[in-house]
Amino acid sequence: MTDTTFDFSAALAANAAARPDHPAVICGNDRLNWRDFIARAEKLAGTLADHGVKPGDSVASIALSSVDYAVLWAAVLRLRATIAPLAPSSTPDQIATMVADSGAQFVFVDAPNRAEFGAMLAGKTLVDLDRLNSFIDPTAQPPALAPLDPQAGFNIIYSSGTTGTPKGIVQSCSMRSLHITGGRRIGYGPECVTLCSTPLYSNTTLVSFIPTLAWGGTVVLMPKFDTARWLKEAETHRVTHAMLVPVQYRRLLADPGFDGTDLSSLQMKFCTSAPFAAELKAEVLKRMPGGLIEFFGMTEGGVGFMLVAHEHPDKLHTVGQPQPGHEVRIIDEDGNDVPPGTPGEIVGRSPATMNGYKNRPDLTAKAYWIDPTGKEWLRTGDIGRLYEDGFLTLMDRAK
């Protein structure tokens, strides 16, 4: 630990020492226990260091989920560098723009994405993630673990770009630390088995993937979502935790094999990223074992809401209450607070807030509303009603 910031890399090493034979990462037929996971990450970190990657540098990736993609995350962070995972669904021009913006010299790709984007990345060092042994120097040793800077970049997540050039959201080690410690309070721990069926470039995935590894559990990765495959993985690996977006819940519940699958190991399910209809929440609670928690918030941070649906079945039409330590205000177009239950823009503050948009101080400044006392509140661009009991209902987008 440094100050109160959770040291992710130190924790991974401790997990390997404490439970070397426990499974760390599984993807299809590939798996690594904690001993081998950290040994491989150390070799990759040492190789990158020998090629000049140092604390504060960025390393980009364009790939589907795999065991070695998880190894890459651990290796980059071991060097106190920053990982920039990019969406393979991006256009070639967007990929070129995001890689340049991130400052990454090394770009890890799988075979399909090398074929798709390789020509756009001239001048960058492309490394085949699905042929990682050809890059790793088996004699390489990583440098001593450098001191942890809480404000250093942990990762850069690029927005979808549907409204223009994708923006790089820089999430700090401190911000990720809060996700990790918050995850411990909602069930992530050494015995959890987390099924991640959304991509490793998405914050939706990372808020489950990172706490699971941090606390020494097991991550089960799916390169692509498929209902029959998800049900098989959940049953086979006795999955305890799962993050799904609403359309995935709907498709799972409609799968002909759903009712015949043993999901009794499930302890907690999560949902975020899209509107989650009340009737769908109710069906999930009725038909799937374990608790259900919905998150509402932005990748940029600010205020985050949490609905513990199994404890508040009468509040399924809401997205819950502000998370601990988060502040929220509902304001009108002139910046005035509105009465409880009145529609207005949701703005918020919390320690779990981005450093800013990479290389875009202008857009970073526009993301905030400054109140009359000088406090900064991150604008969500969403319209909602906040009631006196602290529960929020969403209504529309303000922008």
Side-chain angles (χ1 to χ4, degrees):
M1 299 283 185
T2 296
D3 297 327
T4 58
T5 303
F6 191 98
D7 192 330
F8 180 72
S9 294
L12 297 193
N15 294 336
R19 48 188 3 213
D21 296 318
H22 191 78
V25 184
I26 299 169
C27 186
N29 294 323
D30 297 329
R31 63 171 61 208
L32 290 174
N33 62 25
W34 271 99
R35 178 198 300 108
D36 296 339
F37 175 61
I38 292 304
R40 190 163 177 78
E42 293 267 300
K43 291 300 182 186
L44 178 54
T47 304
L48 285 169
D50 288 347
H51 281 84
V53 177
K54 58 188 184 301
D57 288 351
S58 295
V59 174
S61 54
I62 318 165
L64 298 180
S65 297
S66 66
V67 165
D68 273 343
Y69 202 163
V71 168
L72 176 65
W73 272 85
V76 172
L77 294 166
R78 170 63 178 78
L79 296 175
R80 305 296 197 206
T82 304
I83 187 165
L86 308 179
S89 57
S90 305
T91 67
D93 285 344
Q94 286 175 330
I95 288 290
T97 298
M98 291 186 289
V99 170
D101 184 68
S102 74
Q105 177 59 41
F106 283 87
V107 184
F108 286 75
V109 294
D110 54 16
N113 287 295
R114 174 185 272 274
E116 178 75 13
F117 302 116
M120 302 297 296
L121 299 173
K124 300 298 181 181
T125 302
L126 299 188
V127 181
D128 293 314
L129 193 55
D130 39 14
R131 296 177 59 246
L132 202 54
N133 286 342
S134 64
F135 176 73
I136 291 177
D137 178 355
T139 67
Q141 297 295 327
L145 191 60
L148 178 62
D149 175 3
Q151 292 309 307
F154 189 100
N155 56 256
I156 306 170
I157 296 180
Y158 281 86
S159 64
S160 63
T162 54
T163 57
T165 303
K167 302 185 292 292
I169 301 163
V170 181
Q171 296 180 318
S172 68
C173 294
S174 176
M175 184 176 181
R176 279 294 177 206
S177 170
L178 293 168
H179 295 165
I180 292 168
T181 54
R184 191 71 178 99
R185 292 192 294 270
I186 54 175
Y188 291 103
E191 301 311 317
C192 73
V193 180
T194 299
L195 181 50
C196 294
S197 55
T198 47
L200 278 174
Y201 62 79
S202 168
N203 198 51
T204 297
T205 314
L206 298 178
V207 293
S208 286
F209 171 78
I210 290 169
T212 301
L213 291 181
W215 296 113
T218 302
V219 170
V220 181
L221 298 171
M222 289 182 65
K224 292 185 177 180
F225 178 73
D226 170 84
T227 56
R229 185 71 184 178
W230 191 97
L231 292 169
K232 182 179 179 181
E233 297 280 14
E235 183 175 65
T236 299
H237 298 297
R238 304 297 295 160
V239 164
T240 63
H241 292 67
M243 170 69 82
L244 295 155
V245 297
V247 67
Q248 291 176 317
Y249 279 111
R250 197 174 292 281
R251 288 172 60 189
L252 279 171
L253 293 169
D255 188 283
F258 179 85
D259 290 327
T261 303
D262 179 7
L263 298 177
S264 60
S265 60
L266 279 173
Q267 298 173 14
M268 193 64 70
K269 306 172 299 299
F270 305 98
C271 187
T272 190
S273 297
F276 196 9
E279 74 275 5
L280 181 56
K281 296 177 200 178
E283 188 177 1
V284 171
L285 286 172
K286 180 180 179 181
R287 296 180 61 194
M288 296 184 78
L292 175 65
I293 294 177
E294 178 185 11
F295 296 110
F296 166 71
M298 300 194 301
T299 301
E300 289 90 334
V303 64
F305 286 78
M306 183 169 72
L307 174 65
V308 185
H310 52 285
E311 294 182 0
H312 298 283
D314 59 329
K315 297 291 186 180
L316 301 186
H317 60 290
T318 78
V319 293
Q321 298 169 302
Q323 296 182 42
H326 291 220
E327 301 176 65
V328 61
R329 291 171 72 167
I330 308 296
I331 60 173
D332 62 20
E333 292 182 354
D334 298 319
N336 300 309
D337 291 304
V338 302
T342 304
E345 183 180 358
I346 306 159
V347 300
R349 291 163 45 86
S350 78
T353 299
M354 67 174 180
N355 285 2
Y357 296 118
K358 181 78 171 176
N359 301 320
R360 295 303 305 267
D362 55 331
L363 294 180
T364 301
K366 289 180 181 179
Y368 289 90
W369 171 67
I370 311 299
D371 73 16
T373 70
K375 287 184 179 180
E376 293 183 335
W377 300 75
L378 198 62
R379 307 190 78 131
T380 66
D382 288 301
I383 301 296
R385 299 176 187 263
L386 185 70
Y387 295 92
E388 291 181 349
D389 57 8
F391 283 87
L392 177 77
T393 58
L394 294 178
M395 300 181 63
D396 202 351
R397 290 287 292 168
K399 60 182 180 181

